[in-house]
Amino acid sequence: MQKANNLKEYKRELGEALDNDFLRKAMDKFAVAYRSARINAFKGHEEEVLIHEVVRVKDAGIDNMMALYEEFKTRAQAAGVHVHLARTAHEANELIANIARKNACKKIIKSKSMTAEETLLNHHLEPEFEVTETDLGEWIIQLRHEGPTHMVMPAIHLSRHQVADLFADVTAREQKPDIQRLVKVARRELRAKFTQADMGISGANVAIAKTGTLGIVTNEGNARLVTTLPRVHVALVGLDKLCASLQDALTILRVLPRNATGQAITSYVTWITGANQCLARGTEKNKKEMHIVFLDNGRTQLARDPLFKQVLRCVRCGACANVCPVYRMVGGHQMGHVYIGAIGLILTYFFHGRDKAKNLVQNCINCEACKHVCAAGIDLPRLIKEIHTRIQDEEGHPLTSVLLGKVLKNRKLFHTLLRTAKAAQRPITGGTRYLSHLPQIFARDQDFRALPAIAKKPFRDMWKDVRPPKPAHPKFKVALFSGCVQDFVYPEQLEAGIKVLAHHGVDLDFPMGQTCCGLPVQMMGEKQAARDVALQNVTAIDPADYDYILTLCASCASHLKNNYPFLVGDEPIVGVKVQQFSDKVMSFSSFVNDILQVTREEFNPSGRTATFHSPCHLCRGMGVVHAPHELIEKSGYRFVRADEEQVCCGFGGTYTSKFPQVSQQILNNKLDDVEKTGAELLLTECPGCVLQLRGGMETRGSRVQVLHIAEALARAKK
Amino acid sequence: MSEVIQEFRTKAEAVSAIVSSVPSLDQALAYTVDLCARKKACQMLVSGCQEDLSQKAEDLCGLRKWGRIIAAPGLARDDLDRLVPMAREQGISVIRRDMRKHLEGVDIGLTICEYGIAETGTLILDSSSEELRLGTMISEIHVAVIPASRIKGRAEEITNDLETLMENNPNYLAFITGASRTADIERVLALGVHGPLELHILILEDR
Ligand code: SF4
Ligand code: SF4
């Protein structure tokens, strides 16, 4: 749950979470185990095809939501169920309380329902009724008066010792921290609750309109007891859970458990159609008193929003948290309110308000890991950024991001400022390549990695001297897009790149009108500024003039390729250019390896060992995985693969200066993995990653040398 | 053995089900009685009763009241007539109803399933009868008999049949895959959190 009133308080909470050793270890173990379990679970299946099917089914559900609701209602009513529709969370809670009152229920047992968490149902019922959660994890957090820290594993943040202490309180007997025994204690304690309850509350994972059936997945089987033993059953179901047929439900079921926990299916899947037999005392004709409360709470409105309707596809598998590097560092209480992880950042805004969401949405490093595992193909990072922008539009933009936006829009001013910054930093670099004292723009807490100085001469000023001669028979006409970091901090990476391209018939051009790609301002929620610079770049580099637009910065590449069409694709005429532009964007290693097809003969093997950090925007953003590995080997290095090669380095552009503590911890994990390989060189393909990794190694005093892959290739080139 | 049945077996075993083949239903009944006779009277003894419980939960122990019990709620009359004497010989009682009087637990729940799904090692059990539903939840061991001819490759092959069951409502349909499980404490796997601690599957060779 989010209690922080402002960013400062939120950062303090993050700090506390980072200091929690148990949490950190548990999350690290989980992140690694989850990844391999998921790969196993999808073995023999075309993951993308399965996800695409889920998207199809869920989109149909969203577009026909109310028609499906009516169909469901007709079927379920015919089968003896009372069907209700609650407009708001409060209305749903009150409806449920009234059902309990009308049926003289006192003791309520619940199986897990994220929708009930969304409406804070327990909170509403507890003053009047005795409510017991029966999912083990939910019971534990209920006893602790906490919210869940994970949608599937709500108590993942707690140790066996904490659970033992808790159970000692409940049973008034001492409890040993032995997990198998604790589970049995819970079984017996909860069984006693089951026998006494007069009302059961469940959620549902799917609601099938054709037959009026609810589908519930659990591993523990508690939902079966919750829906069987008490004489009254109420199911609280989001309207987004509706689908047309059993076939559709099975399509969702094919992906949900695989993505959630790496299981092919959960131990129990329960399908309930109508008011079933119930032999409890006080029932009429041995029939269950059954109610289904459908919850709107903004869903019908969301379904009409062309961009945001996709969030209703979410099947609550929790995978977007499982792979999130930030979630891994700080846990669910800091990475969500009720809903957690990437989807949590978004849903919090819609279901629990701007105040709860405003800090959260800033805490995304934009690594896209979530997007690439989402069971429902939701473009989570984009939506998080959109909400960030909306909140700033609603609450006012912070001065720094407005300023940065203004500066970036004016290329000349921006470049003049960078040049001035170079002059101003002279006293603080101490003659080295690093800043030893930071200018004010970088706040405190930045000393976990040395920051580079601005280069003596930016690449744009060097271009006339380093420009390669035009080949006699050009094979490709290529525009080089530098991005600001390589232009102003690491021009040597571009020089190295030029050397690698030599003798391959590349007619290289560097259009001077280009400017920052705009990703930093988009990350800060300045969408207008991001649009403006996008237009400047598309104007500066006319895609019709070139075969490829090459960049050595993976973040720029991914932003130009994937975000530009969304940012300015709707502009008349420019929109056409933008698509052509994006189609031609290519990252360095795929260009060199796949298009130029460089060979071993061009290199002198050094035999040095090298490992690779795969930038988020290269492996996920551009879908490039193998080209860098192949290039490293071709150029005569010995390639050793690091663990978690594709996990973020913690840079994330402006993220690292906003949340330095989290950034530092992510970086530390990364550097540990690299050092474990024993490699002499750490190569990567994004200047931002170089900045973060090299600075981190420098501060550690490590002997591992960090280079852009272009530099390594240039050094080996004959 | 056909490929589908082999796959069913492998997948079910992968989620800790104990799978055997039986040539006849009589063999299945004998297996169940034998399993019950070999089993400690109350499995919770090794895993629950001796745990430190609150008074209320402790009171729930039915061991003193009842002996060993096989719950066979879905069994046809004549099958039951053959099971009862076999069980009696071992001092085991067989019940077919009143599961609510045994919420503290019975030793074995015996059921005959509608379908098996090879892809995931899943059993499909029409649990519309409350007695049957409870029988498979309050038992410490669930013994499920599945005729070999009823094992299909994927659930999608029988959606029409399943929908027919659902349309014939009210209906309570269960997909059961392995024993009841949790990993809610430190992600350590523990079986039998609410339902059975063990699932035994008997493939009835009927072709
Ligand atoms: S983009 Fe990365 S940091 Fe942001 S929510 Fe997704 S996984 Fe987490
Ligand atoms: S957003 Fe996607 S990955 Fe996250 S819980 Fe929902 S379906 Fe799963």
Side-chain angles (χ1 to χ4, degrees):
Chain A
M1 296 264 177
Q2 279 308 301
K3 295 192 191 80
N5 291 311
N6 50 43
L7 198 57
K8 200 168 153 205
E9 279 179 35
Y10 179 57
K11 285 187 184 186
R12 194 173 57 232
E13 287 179 6
L14 291 178
E16 283 165 18
L18 285 166
D19 287 341
N20 180 340
D21 278 344
F22 171 79
L23 181 71
R24 302 288 326 293
K25 275 207 202 92
M27 295 301 236
D28 274 344
K29 247 172 67 193
F30 171 53
V32 175
Y34 169 75
R35 204 167 314 126
S36 49
R38 183 178 186 275
I39 290 171
N40 258 332
F42 278 105
K43 220 171 248 163
H45 295 270
E46 294 245 23
E47 186 185 321
E48 273 134 57
V49 176
L50 294 189
I51 290 177
H52 188 77
E53 282 294 290
V54 174
V55 171
R56 187 182 57 73
V57 165
K58 293 298 291 186
D59 278 349
I62 295 162
D63 290 337
N64 304 311
M65 195 180 263
M66 287 328 279
L68 290 174
Y69 167 73
E70 290 302 336
E71 187 183 352
F72 185 98
K73 186 173 165 182
T74 310
R75 297 281 157 195
Q77 280 177 340
V81 178
H82 307 273
V83 180
H84 314 262
L85 179 61
R87 288 280 150 216
T88 63
H90 184 266
E91 210 176 297
N93 292 345
E94 213 19 57
L95 255 164
I96 295 171
N98 275 330
I99 296 168
R101 289 179 198 125
K102 217 176 121 209
N103 290 283
C105 299
K106 282 271 158 286
K107 297 190 175 181
I108 299 175
I109 46 169
K110 272 185 70 202
S111 59
K112 189 171 165 42
S113 157
M114 279 313 295
T115 314
E117 298 277 3
E118 173 187 324
T119 67
L120 304 175
L121 177 63
N122 286 3
H123 190 74
H124 191 90
L125 296 177
E126 270 162 357
E128 198 177 335
F129 307 94
E130 183 192 313
V131 185
T132 309
E133 292 285 350
T134 61
D135 172 89
L136 177 57
E138 289 286 336
W139 189 48
I140 291 170
I141 60 163
Q142 185 191 24
L143 292 170
R144 286 175 58 96
H145 310 291
E146 285 178 351
T149 54
H150 190 279
M151 289 202 274
V152 179
M153 290 158 291
I156 192 173
H157 58 299
L158 298 172
S159 74
R160 64 190 78 189
H161 302 278
Q162 287 166 295
V163 176
D165 290 348
L166 194 65
F167 285 7
D169 289 346
V170 173
T171 56
R173 314 261 166 99
E174 200 176 313
Q175 299 291 348
K176 293 187 205 71
D178 169 346
I179 292 174
Q180 300 300 330
R181 298 174 70 124
L182 290 169
V183 169
K184 297 303 178 299
V185 170
R187 174 187 171 112
R188 292 291 301 267
E189 294 293 333
L190 288 169
R191 189 62 67 83
K193 301 283 184 195
F194 278 118
T195 63
Q196 297 153 5
D198 23 44
M199 177 160 149
I201 299 178
S202 75
N205 298 83
V206 283
I208 304 173
K210 187 176 169 193
T211 50
T213 303
L214 295 181
I216 308 175
V217 302
T218 72
N219 273 318
E220 301 183 0
N222 55 321
R224 301 187 81 208
L225 289 172
V226 164
T227 57
T228 298
L229 284 172
R231 61 194 152 83
V232 183
H233 171 206
V234 183
L236 177 61
V237 186
L239 281 172
D240 52 310
K241 297 289 161 48
L242 284 157
C243 64
S245 62
L246 175 63
Q247 188 76 38
D248 284 356
L250 292 175
T251 301
I252 295 167
L253 191 62
R254 199 162 267 282
V255 177
L256 171 57
R258 286 191 167 86
N259 221 39
T261 53
Q263 289 173 280
I265 191 169
T266 51
S267 300
Y268 298 98
V269 183
T270 300
W271 306 96
I272 304 176
T273 316
N276 272 272
Q277 185 187 40
C278 178
L279 305 176
R281 242 174 286 144
T283 51
E284 227 172 278
K285 293 195 197 133
N286 288 346
K287 281 261 174 252
K288 176 85 78 185
E289 167 90 14
M290 183 167 176
H291 297 258
I292 300 177
V293 178
F294 279 96
L295 177 69
D296 187 331
N297 203 21
R299 285 167 172 80
T300 45
Q301 198 59 40
L302 257 180
R304 278 180 227 125
D305 185 304
L307 180 61
F308 279 99
K309 66 195 249 188
Q310 58 181 306
V311 306
L312 293 171
R313 287 186 206 146
C314 172
V315 297
R316 312 281 188 258
C317 68
C320 54
N322 300 355
V323 298
C324 173
V326 180
Y327 175 82
R328 174 170 172 178
M329 295 305 142
V330 301
H333 283 154
Q334 271 59 244
M335 192 62 176
H337 178 58
V338 167
Y339 290 108
I340 54 94
I343 191 72
L345 305 192
I346 299 162
L347 292 181
T348 300
Y349 174 73
F350 287 111
F351 295 147
H352 301 108
R354 191 166 65 207
D355 241 24
K356 305 282 181 210
K358 64 178 185 223
N359 300 318
L360 292 176
V361 289
Q362 303 185 47
N363 200 3
C364 162
I365 202 165
N366 197 30
C367 72
E368 301 199 345
C370 50
K371 173 177 163 181
H372 283 255
V373 297
C374 177
I378 305 173
D379 192 349
L380 296 151
R382 176 185 311 284
L383 299 184
I384 293 170
K385 288 294 152 256
E386 281 291 335
I387 292 195
H388 189 183
T389 305
R390 280 194 196 188
I391 291 180
Q392 291 195 356
D393 288 347
E394 287 162 2
E395 292 215 320
H397 291 234
L399 194 59
T400 42
S401 76
V402 175
L403 274 180
L404 185 65
K406 283 226 158 67
V407 168
L408 273 196
K409 272 195 257 184
N410 183 336
R411 179 175 59 84
K412 294 234 166 72
L413 171 66
F414 174 50
H415 290 163
T416 312
L417 277 178
L418 280 172
R419 286 169 211 271
T420 336
K422 181 190 69 190
Q425 79 188 354
R426 213 163 281 142
I428 54 175
T429 53
T432 67
R433 298 192 49 200
Y434 293 96
L435 295 170
S436 50
H437 298 91
L438 296 165
Q440 273 310 308
I441 170 162
F442 288 112
R444 287 160 293 122
D445 310 327
Q446 295 295 324
D447 52 356
F448 61 92
R449 40 115 183 77
L451 284 168
I454 287 172
K456 277 204 194 76
K457 200 174 188 184
F459 182 77
R460 57 182 57 242
D461 295 356
M462 295 160 63
W463 172 244
K464 57 183 187 312
D465 304 321
V466 298
R467 173 175 200 155
K470 195 176 160 91
H473 306 286
K475 279 199 252 166
F476 313 102
K477 192 145 189 257
V478 175
L480 181 63
F481 183 87
S482 68
C484 342
V485 184
Q486 277 171 339
D487 193 353
F488 284 89
V489 181
Y490 295 131
E492 67 272 21
Q493 295 176 0
L494 294 165
E495 276 184 277
I498 292 172
K499 188 172 167 198
V500 176
L501 302 185
H503 315 302
H504 282 281
V506 177
D507 178 5
L508 194 68
D509 190 11
F510 183 78
M512 281 296 166
Q514 62 180 276
T515 183
C516 171
C517 70
L519 182 61
V521 268
Q522 177 159 320
M523 283 283 288
M524 294 177 92
E526 297 296 328
K527 195 172 172 188
Q528 193 48 48
R531 283 174 60 100
D532 288 348
V533 286
L535 286 175
Q536 283 178 37
N537 282 323
V538 177
T539 313
I541 306 176
D542 185 342
D545 287 347
Y546 303 99
D547 299 311
Y548 296 102
I549 298 165
L550 177 69
T551 169
L552 280 71
C553 169
S555 292
C556 294
S558 166
H559 186 63
L560 301 179
K561 198 172 195 74
N562 303 319
N563 292 341
Y564 271 27
F566 282 96
L567 274 170
V568 283
D570 55 357
E571 301 266 330
I573 302 178
V574 181
V576 180
K577 286 276 176 198
V578 167
Q579 196 52 53
Q580 292 174 333
F581 183 97
S582 294
D583 289 344
K584 290 184 176 177
V585 171
M586 183 144 252
S587 62
F588 177 75
S589 54
S590 34
F591 183 67
V592 173
N593 194 58
D594 307 340
I595 306 294
L596 300 185
Q597 301 187 348
V598 297
T599 58
R600 286 172 198 280
E601 285 64 50
E602 298 172 39
F603 300 95
N604 283 318
S606 71
R608 297 179 78 192
T609 51
T611 188
F612 189 68
H613 160 65
S614 191
C616 302
H617 294 139
L618 187 71
C619 58
R620 287 178 288 276
M622 300 296 288
V624 176
V625 175
H626 302 299
H629 298 169
E630 286 169 24
L631 280 179
I632 293 171
E633 297 220 306
K634 275 187 192 170
S635 58
Y637 295 92
R638 217 156 49 72
F639 174 61
V640 272
R641 192 169 177 154
D643 287 346
E644 306 205 67
E645 185 195 49
Q646 298 186 356
V647 171
C648 183
C649 68
F651 180 66
T654 44
Y655 183 91
T656 187
S657 53
K658 189 175 256 169
F659 295 106
Q661 321 131 282
V662 185
S663 170
Q664 170 176 18
Q665 201 47 60
I666 299 176
L667 174 62
N668 272 337
N669 277 21
K670 174 58 69 177
L671 299 183
D672 289 348
D673 283 338
V674 167
E675 289 193 320
K676 247 185 359 216
T677 64
E680 298 158 78
L681 294 173
L682 166 58
L683 308 182
T684 187
E685 199 180 321
C686 179
C689 302
V690 170
L691 188 153
Q692 173 92 338
L693 296 166
R694 190 182 281 168
M697 286 298 188
E698 183 78 13
T699 304
R700 273 190 179 198
S702 166
R703 52 167 204 91
V704 179
Q705 200 185 358
V706 181
L707 294 176
H708 190 287
I709 188 168
E711 295 175 288
L713 294 182
R715 284 179 194 190
K717 184 144 172 149
K718 279 179 184 164
Chain B
M1 201 183 293
S2 84
E3 249 172 62
V4 177
I5 294 180
Q6 189 50 52
E7 188 189 359
F8 173 79
R9 202 183 175 118
T10 316
K11 292 291 163 59
E13 282 170 350
V15 287
S16 72
I18 298 155
V19 187
S20 318
S21 289
V22 288
S24 66
L25 187 62
D26 276 342
Q27 288 284 321
L29 301 179
Y31 178 103
T32 309
V33 171
D34 182 51
L35 183 66
C36 191
R38 281 189 287 117
K39 169 182 175 294
K40 287 202 195 105
C42 170
Q43 194 91 346
M44 294 321 269
L45 280 176
V46 282
S47 48
C49 272
Q50 93 283 22
E51 305 304 347
D52 291 310
L53 297 169
S54 67
Q55 200 55 50
K56 267 210 184 109
E58 194 124 356
D59 290 345
L60 210 61
C61 181
L63 184 60
R64 283 172 297 261
K65 269 193 284 173
W66 323 92
R68 280 166 216 225
I69 298 174
I70 295 175
L75 220 56
R77 194 73 243 180
D78 52 332
D79 297 331
L80 195 77
D81 287 346
R82 280 175 302 165
L83 172 64
V84 170
M86 282 194 230
R88 194 182 304 129
E89 222 166 88
Q90 302 286 345
I92 301 166
S93 21
V94 177
I95 58 168
R96 214 159 72 118
R97 56 172 64 92
D98 289 339
M99 299 301 152
R100 279 183 182 263
K101 293 204 180 112
H102 295 272
L103 293 181
E104 71 282 354
V106 299
D107 297 274
I108 291 187
L110 172 65
T111 58
I112 297 175
C113 299
E114 270 49 62
Y115 293 101
I117 303 299
E119 188 189 17
T120 47
T122 300
L123 297 165
I124 299 185
L125 188 58
D126 185 344
S127 315
S128 302
S129 137
E130 183 189 285
E131 300 289 10
L132 194 141
R133 213 180 309 153
L134 284 178
T136 58
M137 279 309 282
I138 61 171
S139 50
E140 285 163 12
I141 300 178
H142 178 192
V143 179
V145 179
I146 173 74
S149 60
R150 292 248 152 189
I151 298 178
K152 310 289 171 191
R154 300 158 45 122
E156 280 80 349
E157 292 168 30
I158 49 165
T159 36
N160 285 344
D161 296 4
L162 296 178
E163 273 185 349
T164 307
L165 279 176
M166 289 170 174
E167 272 155 10
N168 198 358
N169 53 55
N171 177 268
Y172 198 113
L173 200 64
F175 284 17
I176 299 177
T177 312
S180 158
R181 62 177 59 216
T182 187
D184 272 352
I185 308 178
E186 293 190 14
R187 291 184 45 259
V188 173
L189 179 67
L191 293 181
V193 54
H194 287 294
L197 301 138
E198 284 178 22
L199 172 67
H200 291 240
I201 301 176
L202 304 179
I203 301 174
L204 186 60
E205 292 154 3
D206 59 351
R207 46 180 162 193

